Amino acid sequence: MNLQRDTGHSATNAGTTTPRELFSPLNSDIFINVMRFLQPPEIIVVRKTCKTLYSASHRRIVWLDALNRVMEEHGLFKPTYHLDSMTDSQLEQAALFPWKFSFMVNTSNGVPLRPRAHRILVNSLMNDDTERIEQAQREDGRDFATIMLVPGGRFLLTTSDAYSVGSYVKLWDLGQPGTRLLPVLVATTVLESHCVVYATAPTQDGLGIRIVSTFDAENQMQADPYKIKVHEIFPVSPSPVFREIGAIKVRRHLTCLSICGDRIIFTIFGIALRPSFVVVWDFVRHLTSTFRPYFGAPTEVQIHDKYAILGLAKSLSIWEIPPLQPPAVDDADDATAEEKLPILEFLLPFVKTSSTELPPHDLAWSSDSPNRRLLVALGFFDTPHVSFDVGLYKMEDSPPPHNPALPTSVPVVLTRGSFNHTLEVQGDLVRYKPHFCGNNVILACSVRDFVWLFMLPIPEARESRSSSPTSCMLKIGKCQPAQMEIAPATGRVCTITIDGEIRVIDYLLLDTGKV
């Protein structure tokens, strides 16, 4: 008896580990490694179970790792946050932003979300461009005509109207999400007139931005009236500049385009006896591949591995991309475009809708995340209300044994939902591309100065029944947005009004402190 009291062990529990030993500080590294498999809200739940986990969950490495995973899973630009200068508390808050914003939408109960910070972007001049900008300012036009928010919300691309010297494209640093810093002009360049910034993607190291622009010639009768160019810029480098890394001429109008890695896929519009065709262009090695879908022009195109995913009026289809070769001439020509049949085709899960679409996605920004394997399809009704169906597809791996003639992964319906919202105002409905936020898909639309968000939960497994979507309204101030860009994973929205005023609106803020 005394021996057992002295040693603290008995014959029956010899060799076992006591709870005190299991949760000793020596095992805190084990718990930190376990937390790497948890989502940020799950870490908050775990920390409430015992003192050891509470202490481990407050280690800086836990939230530094969590925020990096959140950025990767949501496809946020790596330099979105100043990780080294953020406090431990700010790291935790930023990692929870996607779930906090989703919670705000889900619990709004009809009350519009109010901004925490509201700033107006003021144009700035670069010293080396002062003379040309002064010349442009004597002409009639807007310094800000279009905007594009880099995923994450820290950096913003603006494009001016077409002046005689060209269109001004500028990159702005709006400050990391959750702060009220004044926007700073990072770099500017003058591109050819009638320039449209079409898409962005990260560089291979994740520290730079690739910008895809299209150009329409004033004289549509010339041989190659359209161009596509790719520029590259590293905004956090000591001297960021726009650098052209690829260009291709196009003989006809483009209808849709997306970028993935070093490849761009786009559709050339058909006219008369010349049907539409699809082009895949490797802008780094300057190789191209073309094919003609047998049933007409797609409304949206994406690249997935060595296959093209085309969105059509009523279906999604998968096509094998033909081998890429050096173009015969320096343009995208349809001379070698052969008519092809899809490998697989899937009807969209909408029956009564009057129109369907596969809206543009920011898939290029999340190539290594699970969200890269999700696609959103929309079906719209002819009604004065905001009324539509949304179908969520997941690219699932084909079960073994795999047929080498078929893709390694195919889209399957994960879930679907229906939205029906009665508008209190009249006007043209503007829809925006979908975004992934926490465990939800968020869709946005606007009518005049009213903005609505619709949120559809992402199920962990395939569901046959429809999900329960939620909606809320955003307050953006007394302005009518001509264009709007949202970054729900960081709680930031950018709008440009019809008279060219840009507003930066934050719905989430980090606590005060060094940033």
Side-chain angles (χ1 to χ4, degrees):
M1 179 67 68
N2 290 335
L3 180 62
Q4 290 181 358
R5 186 179 297 113
D6 291 340
T7 61
H9 291 80
S10 64
T12 56
N13 62 14
T16 62
T17 303
T18 66
R20 182 181 297 275
E21 292 172 335
L22 177 63
F23 290 94
S24 68
L26 297 177
N27 290 321
S28 62
D29 289 342
I30 297 176
F31 296 121
I32 290 174
N33 286 328
V34 170
M35 291 178 189
R36 291 180 175 177
F37 296 93
L38 303 178
Q39 295 283 20
E42 296 171 330
I43 298 176
I44 299 298
V45 173
V46 165
R47 74 161 41 150
K48 299 176 181 179
T49 57
C50 69
K51 292 182 178 179
T52 301
L53 290 175
Y54 178 86
S55 175
S57 70
H58 280 87
R59 295 277 293 275
R60 180 177 180 84
I61 185 62
V62 170
W63 292 106
L64 188 63
D65 181 73
L67 182 53
N68 274 307
R69 283 187 285 111
V70 166
M71 293 172 63
E72 180 181 356
E73 291 171 1
H74 288 78
L76 308 187
F77 186 35
K78 280 186 178 181
T80 295
Y81 289 103
H82 305 284
L83 299 180
D84 293 339
S85 61
M86 294 174 70
T87 65
D88 297 355
S89 175
Q90 290 173 340
L91 290 173
E92 179 178 327
Q93 292 175 67
L96 289 164
F97 267 2
W99 289 268
K100 186 173 182 179
F101 190 82
S102 299
F103 178 79
M104 291 165 57
V105 173
N106 195 43
T107 59
S108 63
N109 296 323
V111 179
L113 300 188
R114 294 182 177 273
R116 301 286 304 280
H118 201 136
R119 294 165 287 163
I120 296 178
L121 187 65
V122 179
N123 194 23
S124 300
L125 305 182
M126 299 291 281
N127 293 331
D128 56 344
D129 285 329
T130 300
E131 183 178 350
R132 286 185 292 178
I133 291 177
E134 288 177 350
Q135 176 187 353
Q137 288 177 336
R138 292 193 293 269
E139 305 174 34
D140 184 22
R142 297 170 298 174
D143 291 330
F144 299 137
T146 64
I147 58 174
M148 177 168 288
L149 195 62
V150 175
R154 176 180 170 184
F155 295 97
L156 179 73
L157 283 160
T158 64
T159 308
S160 74
D161 280 330
Y163 296 112
S164 58
V165 294
S167 295
Y168 289 87
V169 177
K170 297 183 177 182
L171 181 67
W172 300 82
D173 186 349
L174 306 179
Q176 74 174 3
T179 62
R180 307 169 189 252
L181 301 178
L182 292 177
V184 176
L185 181 59
V186 176
T188 185
T189 187
V190 181
L191 302 180
E192 301 169 43
S193 297
H194 306 285
C195 162
V196 176
V197 175
Y198 217 110
T200 61
T203 55
Q204 296 292 342
D205 61 3
L207 299 177
I209 307 169
R210 285 172 170 172
I211 303 157
V212 184
S213 304
T214 62
F215 303 85
D216 296 352
E218 293 185 18
N219 180 13
Q220 299 295 315
M221 301 304 294
Q222 66 186 59
D224 298 295
Y226 307 102
K227 293 179 183 178
I228 302 175
K229 290 186 177 182
V230 183
H231 289 79
E232 198 172 71
I233 186 170
F234 293 83
V236 294
S237 63
S239 301
V241 293
F242 290 93
R243 183 174 66 92
E244 183 180 315
I245 59 174
I248 192 170
K249 299 176 182 178
V250 181
R251 298 184 180 182
R252 283 183 270 156
H253 182 65
L254 283 74
T255 57
C256 51
L257 176 151
S258 69
I259 178 174
C260 180
D262 297 338
R263 296 176 297 171
I264 292 175
I265 183 171
F266 55 93
T267 301
I268 302 296
F269 187 69
I271 54 174
L273 298 178
R274 305 182 68 179
S276 301
F277 64 101
V278 176
V279 180
V280 178
W281 171 42
D282 185 326
F283 54 85
V284 173
R285 289 167 284 275
H286 197 58
L287 304 174
T288 62
S289 175
T290 60
F291 65 91
R292 284 197 189 102
Y294 81 99
F295 41 59
T299 58
E300 188 63 27
V301 289
Q302 304 285 347
I303 294 178
H304 184 77
D305 195 19
K306 60 180 180 179
Y307 300 94
I309 301 176
L310 308 187
L312 296 138
K314 295 294 181 182
S315 67
L316 287 174
S317 56
I318 299 181
W319 308 69
E320 186 175 10
I321 299 174
L324 275 68
Q325 300 176 350
V329 291
D330 192 25
D331 65 7
D333 191 7
D334 62 344
T336 59
E338 298 182 0
E339 188 172 77
K340 293 176 67 67
L341 295 173
I343 299 175
L344 294 170
E345 189 170 9
F346 307 86
L347 291 178
L348 294 175
F350 315 129
V351 179
K352 300 179 181 179
T353 53
S354 56
S355 64
T356 60
E357 67 179 44
L358 179 71
H361 291 61
D362 275 331
L363 298 181
W365 285 92
S366 49
S367 56
D368 295 326
S369 81
N371 286 348
R372 176 62 177 88
R373 303 171 69 86
L374 295 177
L375 291 171
V376 177
L378 300 176
F380 297 94
F381 297 91
D382 276 331
T383 170
H385 311 294
V386 180
S387 184
F388 58 90
D389 283 343
V390 55
L392 182 61
Y393 283 81
K394 183 178 181 180
M395 299 295 295
E396 289 193 351
D397 293 335
S398 302
H402 176 65
N403 184 347
L406 297 177
T408 54
S409 56
V410 297
V412 297
V413 178
L414 192 61
T415 188
R416 59 172 293 184
S418 295
F419 294 93
N420 193 338
H421 188 85
T422 302
L423 296 178
E424 299 177 358
V425 293
Q426 298 296 322
D428 294 331
L429 178 68
V430 181
R431 299 186 296 267
Y432 304 97
K433 60 190 176 185
H435 294 271
F436 300 102
C437 184
N439 300 320
N440 303 280
V441 174
I442 289 185
L443 305 163
C445 68
S446 66
V447 178
R448 291 168 50 188
D449 57 343
F450 294 85
V451 177
W452 285 271
L453 295 183
F454 300 93
M455 189 169 71
L456 180 71
I458 302 174
E460 295 182 1
R462 196 188 315 180
E463 294 185 354
S464 56
R465 63 181 180 84
S466 298
S467 298
S468 299
T470 56
S471 64
C472 79
M473 195 164 67
L474 291 183
K475 275 191 172 294
I476 59 172
K478 293 295 183 180
C479 67
Q480 181 174 346
Q483 186 186 350
M484 184 177 71
E485 293 278 301
I486 67 172
T490 56
R492 177 165 288 175
V493 173
C494 286
T495 66
I496 180 170
T497 62
I498 55 177
D499 57 355
E501 180 183 79
I502 295 178
R503 300 190 178 194
V504 183
I505 308 168
D506 286 286
Y507 294 87
L508 297 170
L509 288 181
L510 298 171
D511 60 6
T512 57
K514 183 181 178 181
V515 178

